[in-house]
Amino acid sequence: MDVPCADCPLRKTGAFSPNTTEEISFIQSFKRGEVNIKAGNLLVREGVISGELYTLLRGWAFRYRTLGNGKRQILNFLLPGDFIGLQERLGTQASSGVEVLTDAVFCRFSSERLWELYRNHPALGYDITWIAAHEELIVDENLVSVGQRSAAQRIAMLILHLYKRAESVGMKDAEGAVPFPVTQQHMADALGLSLVHTNKTLAQLTRQRMFTIRNSRMTIGEPALLNKLADYFSVPLRGRPLI
Amino acid sequence: MDVPCADCPLRKTGAFSPNTTEEISFIQSFKRGEVNIKAGNLLVREGVISGELYTLLRGWAFRYRTLGNGKRQILNFLLPGDFIGLQERLGTQASSGVEVLTDAVFCRFSSERLWELYRNHPALGYDITWIAAHEELIVDENLVSVGQRSAAQRIAMLILHLYKRAESVGMKDAEGAVPFPVTQQHMADALGLSLVHTNKTLAQLTRQRMFTIRNSRMTIGEPALLNKLADYFSVPLRGRPLI
DNA sequence: CGCTCGGTTGAAGGAGGTCAACTCCGGTGG
DNA sequence: CCACCGGAGTTGACCTCCTTCAACCGAGCG
């Protein structure tokens, strides 16, 4: 029923660093089944003690945090291959929630065996550290956007970043379009903007043909212009670890 | 000359989780001397390939990132015990710079022996992952502030957070004051606000006796009010690992 | 003694927020 | 088959929080 790790479709994208067959068989034994979540539902609720670890196998999701006044900040978007559950100390309250944008499948891992992973497979332990560090990098980038960029720049940045990430896991089709299940409300919550202003700025950029969003798919029209607008110099993200 | 890890003053604060004497002696061998930086200078320059790892032993610093237009975002403030160098893959360009607020001392670690750490001391590897995850948590919190809170709330949040962190590493004196070497420009850069507006909002809050900043020291006047204003429910940060 | 750095204050303008109404579209159920 | 509904997107008017520009103060220091 479940996808065997040895046949993991994500590894075939070439976006991830290879592992030995021994490591993969440990990962397989570490895996405790798959979790299916329907679009719009939660994988992790804020403030709940869970201590579960997941890898997003298929679909899109996002990690967020809500304030007392009801405002929500999306911390980052999750694409296939992203690891979830390192944000808090295991066994404490989840500081952020995870909600799913499309129907999604997660691989669930046994947090009790995490210690065994570190003990018997130090290379995988190293990988997990690397994953945590890499995720911080993404949040760093978002913080720079929200703190210092104008609305148009933030949107340009988000579009570019998501396009690149989707492309890297093999989501680009023959026409150069990638799936884009993100509503304007999600963009607003991620960028610290109001929905209305997000809409108006978005409209301006699409009028300039910088990119197109239609039927939950996105294409980039003017990559150079968009990069310049966003003031963004991307580093290629290849060869990151996958658990 | 250098402080021996077995006598590390940070461990005496009780803010960090204990290690076995064997682990501490490995950390000692992992340590490659101390680095002294004068107030206002850089430990790490943005974009430079270094691959060094550090722990801040004494003083204050901050991690930041600069945009093409010269604007700067402070990503987080660094206090004693904070680990530096996980933000990028070892041996690649530093994505963020580290600048020092006060004269500071860092323990430098050998990145070549990091692999040995994971192999021979899995518990320390686990700790490093935990440190990376914890640091992401702090950046998350900053992102929530900058994205969703008003200027007054952001300042309240920053004050509370820094006070709590300084207190946790034993910096509080008999009068309840902690060092506060942060200028208004630094606060502005961390909170995504202009200097002028930071100043005016700060003045309003101090007029309400919420806190006092004088001679680079800070005291909190109304913790309850401040907490309510910031919409911030702090979790106690004790028992985090120290390398 | 003058310079620089950090902090303070006032005035004016703009980027973005809020409120409100309307469209479009895909269900879903009579 | 059509009516109804809710979610997403669009647009206009108004307002405000915050930025920008500019000037000034005080303290430390070469």
Side-chain angles (χ1 to χ4, degrees):
Chain A
M1 192 77 161
D2 289 358
V3 176
C5 296
D7 291 341
C8 183
L10 292 177
R11 295 194 180 274
K12 293 169 189 154
T13 63
F16 301 95
S17 49
N19 287 96
T20 65
T21 56
E22 195 192 355
E23 282 164 355
I24 290 183
S25 83
F26 177 81
I27 294 175
Q28 178 73 65
S29 73
F30 187 37
K31 179 170 168 180
R32 279 283 195 77
E34 293 177 1
V35 182
N36 286 271
I37 312 273
K38 284 278 173 200
N41 291 319
L42 298 180
L43 172 71
V44 179
R45 190 180 300 275
E46 284 176 282
V48 164
I49 298 175
S50 81
E52 300 276 353
L53 298 170
Y54 305 92
T55 289
L56 179 49
L57 179 60
R58 239 195 340 266
W60 289 55
F62 62 90
R63 210 161 57 77
Y64 69 95
R65 207 144 155 184
T66 314
L67 265 65
N69 60 16
K71 289 175 150 215
R72 174 174 79 169
Q73 175 68 40
I74 292 183
L75 299 164
N76 62 20
F77 289 97
L78 302 169
L79 271 75
D82 283 353
F83 195 74
I84 298 151
L86 291 176
Q87 287 74 34
E88 60 273 353
R89 194 211 284 264
L90 288 171
T92 60
Q93 290 188 21
S95 57
S96 53
V98 174
E99 187 177 317
V100 136
L101 286 169
T102 65
D103 291 359
V105 184
F106 296 86
C107 303
R108 176 166 53 205
F109 299 105
S110 143
S111 63
E112 304 92 52
R113 296 194 64 191
L114 184 61
W115 173 237
E116 189 184 333
L117 182 152
Y118 275 87
R119 176 183 296 278
N120 296 338
H121 296 274
L124 293 179
Y126 192 89
D127 283 351
I128 290 187
T129 301
W130 197 90
I131 287 170
H134 179 255
E135 209 189 289
E136 188 193 325
L137 209 72
I138 292 180
V139 182
D140 281 358
E141 191 66 68
N142 289 343
L143 178 52
V144 172
S145 271
V146 175
Q148 307 298 338
R149 285 188 244 250
S150 71
Q153 289 183 305
R154 293 184 213 183
I155 289 179
M157 177 73 206
L158 181 66
I159 294 291
L160 277 172
H161 188 230
L162 289 180
Y163 186 87
K164 201 172 62 133
R165 291 186 61 196
E167 182 184 18
S168 85
V169 289
M171 286 178 163
K172 189 167 71 173
D173 67 17
E175 284 80 36
V178 300
F180 196 73
V182 181
T183 68
Q184 295 184 0
Q185 183 67 65
H186 292 125
M187 300 181 76
D189 287 349
L191 300 175
L193 296 171
S194 72
L195 172 59
V196 173
H197 196 62
T198 301
N199 176 289
K200 288 175 180 170
T201 313
L202 203 48
Q204 265 190 312
L205 296 183
T206 52
R207 239 177 280 125
Q208 298 174 249
R209 306 285 144 109
M210 292 221 177
F211 51 85
T212 318
I213 297 173
R214 223 182 46 231
N215 295 337
S216 299
R217 307 216 112 226
M218 167 175 65
T219 51
I220 304 259
E222 296 281 358
L225 260 179
L226 213 47
N227 260 297
K228 190 174 166 214
L229 172 60
D231 192 356
Y232 175 47
F233 304 100
S234 63
V235 273
L237 32 81
R238 55 182 156 63
R240 64 211 159 93
L242 175 68
I243 300 286
Chain B
M1 192 79 160
D2 290 356
V3 175
C5 297
D7 290 342
C8 182
L10 291 176
R11 297 196 178 272
K12 294 168 186 155
T13 63
F16 302 95
S17 50
N19 288 95
T20 66
T21 55
E22 196 192 354
E23 282 163 356
I24 290 182
S25 83
F26 177 81
I27 294 174
Q28 177 73 66
S29 73
F30 187 37
K31 179 170 167 180
R32 279 282 193 80
E34 293 176 2
V35 183
N36 285 271
I37 310 274
K38 285 281 173 197
N41 291 320
L42 299 179
L43 173 70
V44 180
R45 191 180 301 273
E46 285 176 279
V48 164
I49 297 175
S50 82
E52 300 274 353
L53 299 169
Y54 305 92
T55 290
L56 178 49
L57 178 59
R58 238 195 339 267
W60 290 54
F62 61 90
R63 209 161 58 78
Y64 68 95
R65 207 143 155 185
T66 314
L67 266 66
N69 60 16
K71 290 177 150 214
R72 174 174 79 169
Q73 175 68 40
I74 291 183
L75 299 164
N76 64 18
F77 288 98
L78 303 168
L79 271 73
D82 283 353
F83 196 73
I84 298 150
L86 292 174
Q87 286 75 34
E88 61 272 355
R89 195 211 283 263
L90 289 172
T92 60
Q93 290 189 18
S95 56
S96 54
V98 175
E99 186 177 319
V100 136
L101 285 168
T102 65
D103 291 358
V105 184
F106 297 86
C107 303
R108 175 166 56 205
F109 298 105
S110 143
S111 61
E112 303 93 52
R113 296 195 62 190
L114 185 61
W115 173 238
E116 189 184 333
L117 182 152
Y118 275 87
R119 176 183 295 279
N120 296 338
H121 295 274
L124 293 180
Y126 191 89
D127 283 351
I128 289 187
T129 301
W130 196 89
I131 287 170
H134 179 255
E135 210 190 289
E136 188 193 325
L137 208 74
I138 292 180
V139 182
D140 281 358
E141 190 67 67
N142 289 343
L143 178 52
V144 172
S145 271
V146 175
Q148 306 298 337
R149 284 188 245 251
S150 70
Q153 288 183 304
R154 293 183 213 183
I155 289 179
M157 178 72 204
L158 181 66
I159 294 290
L160 277 172
H161 188 230
L162 289 181
Y163 185 88
K164 203 172 62 134
R165 291 184 62 197
E167 182 184 18
S168 85
V169 289
M171 284 179 164
K172 189 167 71 172
D173 66 17
E175 284 81 35
V178 301
F180 196 72
V182 181
T183 69
Q184 295 184 359
Q185 183 66 66
H186 292 124
M187 300 180 75
D189 287 349
L191 300 175
L193 296 170
S194 70
L195 173 59
V196 173
H197 196 62
T198 302
N199 176 290
K200 288 175 182 171
T201 313
L202 202 48
Q204 266 191 311
L205 295 183
T206 51
R207 240 178 278 123
Q208 297 174 249
R209 305 287 144 105
M210 291 220 178
F211 52 85
T212 319
I213 296 172
R214 223 182 45 232
N215 295 335
S216 299
R217 307 217 110 226
M218 169 176 63
T219 51
I220 303 258
E222 296 282 356
L225 260 179
L226 214 47
N227 261 295
K228 192 176 164 210
L229 172 61
D231 191 357
Y232 175 48
F233 304 100
S234 63
V235 273
L237 35 82
R238 56 180 155 64
R240 64 211 160 95
L242 175 69
I243 301 288

